[in-house]
Amino acid sequence: MGNERNWAGNYRYGASELHAPDNIEQVQELVARSRTIKALGTRHSFNGIPDTDGSHLSLSKLNRIVGLDRESGTVTVEAGIRYGELCGYLNDNGYALHNLASLPHISVAGACATATHGSGNRNGNLSTAVRALEIVNADGETVALSRDGQDGGFAGAVVGLGALGVVTKLTLDVVPAFEVSQTVYENLPLSQLEKHADDIFFSGYSVSLFTDWKDTAINQVWVKRTAADGQFTPAGPELYGAKRATQPLHPVPGQPVHNCSEQMGVAGPWHERLAHFKMEFTPSAGEELQSEYFVPRDQVYRALGAIADIRERISPLLYVSEIRTIAGDELWMSPNYKQNSAGIHFTWKPDWEAVRQVLPLIESKLEPFGARPHWAKLFTMEPSRVQSLYPKLPDFRELAARFDSQGKFRNAFLNRYLFESYNG
Ligand SMILES: Cc1cc2nc3c(=O)[nH]c(=O)nc-3n(C[C@H](O)[C@H](O)[C@H](O)COP(=O)(O)OP(=O)(O)OC[C@H]3O[C@@H](n4cnc5c(N)ncnc54)[C@H](O)[C@@H]3O)c2cc1C
């Protein structure tokens, strides 16, 4: 089987075959004997980052939980597991992950490979939870790397973009299980962000702003709060001029609200509130395109103001925009590398011809803020610009060459944005 499409249906892969091995030995054997091969997760990326003209390798059958280590506060999983499969187990055992993306449907390995994130000023992206990982390199050998190890390269390998090999196991930090309550507010004037951006993003453990850019108001503010000392104080009726919603809401107007995680301030387990969408329903809008750019968190008001200048161009093509915050990290290829960030995200209607005309305008508006594009979403930025945003790229290239001297795991996307040098 080959020529699969991605989840959104906007990208058809060029792979000639798709393997789904039953065990790690089969992964090693397939990698060793292939000329070109690429790991495929749950296909939720919007661009060619998982593509290959050789073989695709899905770890969907390697999705077991290897073990929970209460002493070290970690869980080890096989790389094909999806967050939705892991979270219930952790919660049943009294543990949690520090954060989740908007949807639980994605594989842990695929999410970490692209620095997938949720929200929260103090929350690093999902790959910051990785304490150790095992990778099958181009020779078919398994290499183990850990955060505390002396091996070097761990900080480069975690957000590996699929370029180093096939991740087969990950060990993730866990924290004690916690409860979250989710309250949605409506109509936050954008001007409130000028003075109060920090207060607004600190008003919960994880905060998301949604706007359709039809005017300069933020349509919805989703505030996910944790209980202090086991007690939830009731969420106030107002948040900087935004009013508490009187019924549950979907971020995309007109989409079914039962697809969303519970709101209205009702407390519940972390994994049933941190993602916006429930595992058993379609996340987001379904047929859609996505783009996202990361700017320094303390520049978010100015960056949104720059986008507001072109909102008439954006709004007709858009389902919704979401603004989240992500704590800075030390992972070389993370867009949050050494930078507390705000992610400015766009869920587009499925009209690539029109969207591709608008992305350069957004990118030029965000250029003064050093915006880095999300690795797994759609962008039109020149490769030279992308490369200039990653100071550790030369080290990453060396690391990739150590794991894959022949370029077995490379593809057109990786060559263009990482490996081919551009002089401007
Ligand atoms: C509806 C929707 C909502 C989304 N919400 C968010 C969000 O809230 N936050 C956010 O940051 N992103 C979000 N995304 C983007 C998504 O998180 C990323 O595309 C993520 O990479 C998807 O993981 P995946 O398992 O589908 O990986 P794939 O798309 O299948 O692959 C992504 C990359 O991971 C690599 N990879 C996969 N498995 C392995 C492995 N075992 N070893 C080595 N490399 C591997 C692939 O080679 C490829 O480079 C969303 C996407 C959709 C469709």
Side-chain angles (χ1 to χ4, degrees), residues 84-100:
E85 296 161 344
L86 171 61
C87 291
Y89 165 87
L90 284 178
N91 192 58
D92 290 348
N93 284 280
Y95 287 95
L97 298 170
H98 79 289
N99 210 355
L100 292 175

